Each structure stands twice: as structure tokens, then as C-alpha cells.
Amino acid sequence: MKDAVDQLTPMGVMVLALLREGDMHPYEMVRLMRARRDDRLLTITNGTLYHTVARLQRAGLLDEVGVDREGNRPERTTYTLTDAGVDALVGWLRRELSRIDHPSDFRIALAEAHNLERDDVIESLRLRRNALVDAHASHRDGLAGARTKKVPEQVLVEFERQEVLLEAELRWLDSLLTRLEAAAFPWGPRAFENTDRYLAQRKAAQQ
């Protein structure tokens, strides 16, 4: 399972997460990703998505469940998520939520974190918090030391920015953890899949 997790790309993660919502064909995947503005997280092209689907199928993370055609439209192959695909998705999300050295992958993991159980998310984010505390302390102390040594401020602006961003993320993360630990905060894919908005979005993407 570790190899499958290591080989997953951000697009692969998005595809597996979509299939966890239900069986669908690549055309529907593309339309859903664009409707949900996932293009703010990664570049979405038909070619990249179809290539990703083929690679995930070869890896045994998804499988075909049927081919259909409506009217004069091209044939559409519908795919389903395998048990290995679920395991790879969950493993990747747990890993990337907890680490602070892959900021772009963290955005993907956070967008798809609802595919994990609440306790899994809390555990992974607490690991992330520990790493952020250490990184923030390192930047803060490094800046203080540099200023004591009269290092010119103009060469410290990037360190200063990073220290501020780390402090801000810690505040945001503490707020999120507080919400996650509250039973009143809905969590998980089942928390929204039957809403009118979700069902309408799925129907529109299937057209």
C-alpha cells in the first residue's frame, strides 16, 4: 500500500476522491472538478485526467464497471473505486495532512480531508501542529538571533514573512481543530451527499 501512496499524484488523489462519491466516467469527473473550482488547486485538462485514470487502473486502484453510449455521443467508460484505491487515498491524505514540507499537496489533502474519519483528521492535523510549532519557534528564534547580530533587515524579509505565515497558520489550525472536536460540526462525505445542491451538481455533471 505504501508504494501506491507514494505513486499518487494530486490529480490521482482527486480522481480517487471523486470515485469515492460513486461510480462515474471521466467526463463527469472533469465537469465536477471544474464546477467545484478545483482548478484553483491544480491544472485540469482532459488529457491529464484520462491519462491519470488509465494509470490508476493499471495500478489496481480503480476498475471499469461498464461502457455506455447515448445518442451520437462517444462511448463513456464508467469507473469504480477498488478497495486498494480507498486504502491509497486514505493513506495519502493522512500523510499529507500531517506534514508541512509539501504546501501544494497539503491544499489538495485539506480539500479532500472529508474522505477521512473525523478522528483521523484530528490526529493528522495534531501532528501537523507539532511540526508547525517547531518551525515557527525556529524562525522566530532565528530572526531574533539575526537581529541581535545586526544582520541587515533587507536580507531578513523572507524569514520575517515565513514566521508571520507560520504564526497565522497555527491560529487557523487551532480554530479548525476546535471545530472538528465539536460534535455539532458536520464531517465526512455523508454529511453533504444528499443535499439538494450536491445532487443537482452531480446531475448536471452527468449530462
Side-chain angles (χ1 to χ4, degrees), residues 2-189:
K2 184 177 183 300
D3 288 344
V5 170
D6 290 340
Q7 292 170 16
L8 276 181
T9 63
M11 178 65 81
V13 171
M14 301 292 276
V15 168
L16 296 181
L18 282 170
L19 289 176
R20 200 163 192 199
E21 298 180 30
D23 300 346
M24 61 182 75
H25 48 73
Y27 181 72
E28 181 181 356
M29 297 178 198
V30 169
R31 295 195 68 178
L32 277 174
M33 283 194 281
R34 288 177 175 155
R36 296 170 180 177
R37 295 300 307 277
D38 290 334
D39 51 358
R40 75 193 190 283
L41 302 173
L42 75 174
T43 301
I44 300 171
T45 67
N46 290 1
T48 300
L49 187 133
Y50 278 87
H51 174 77
T52 299
V53 167
R55 187 169 50 79
L56 293 173
Q57 185 177 14
R58 288 195 299 271
L61 304 184
L62 53 80
D63 203 0
E64 294 182 15
V65 290
V67 178
D68 60 76
R69 172 181 291 181
E70 293 184 13
N72 58 359
R73 292 176 177 173
E75 287 185 346
R76 291 178 178 174
T77 302
T78 300
Y79 294 89
T80 193
L81 187 62
T82 65
D83 289 343
V86 173
D87 291 342
L89 174 64
V90 168
W92 192 93
L93 293 175
R94 285 172 175 163
R95 185 186 70 186
E96 296 304 328
L97 281 175
S98 65
R99 62 193 302 173
I100 64 172
D101 56 339
H102 291 170
S104 58
D105 286 351
F106 174 69
R107 293 186 69 199
I108 302 289
L110 190 62
E112 299 298 345
H114 57 269
N115 285 285
L116 296 178
E117 295 298 326
R118 187 187 301 262
D119 289 345
D120 278 347
V121 176
I122 291 173
E123 180 179 357
S124 294
L125 290 180
R126 288 205 174 280
L127 291 173
R128 181 179 186 83
R129 188 185 188 284
N130 292 339
L132 285 171
V133 167
D134 291 343
H136 178 252
S138 176
H139 277 75
R140 182 195 60 215
D141 296 346
L143 274 170
R147 285 168 175 151
T148 298
K149 296 174 183 177
K150 306 301 183 184
V151 174
E153 285 290 329
Q154 63 187 4
V155 301
L156 297 178
V157 291
E158 191 281 329
F159 292 95
E160 184 180 67
R161 172 183 179 274
Q162 188 61 17
E163 190 268 334
V164 170
L165 290 177
L166 288 165
E167 183 179 12
E169 183 169 357
L170 275 168
R171 289 198 302 270
W172 166 81
L173 187 53
D174 284 341
S175 173
L176 176 59
L177 284 167
T178 297
R179 285 187 290 160
L180 282 167
E181 289 165 350
F185 184 53
W187 189 258

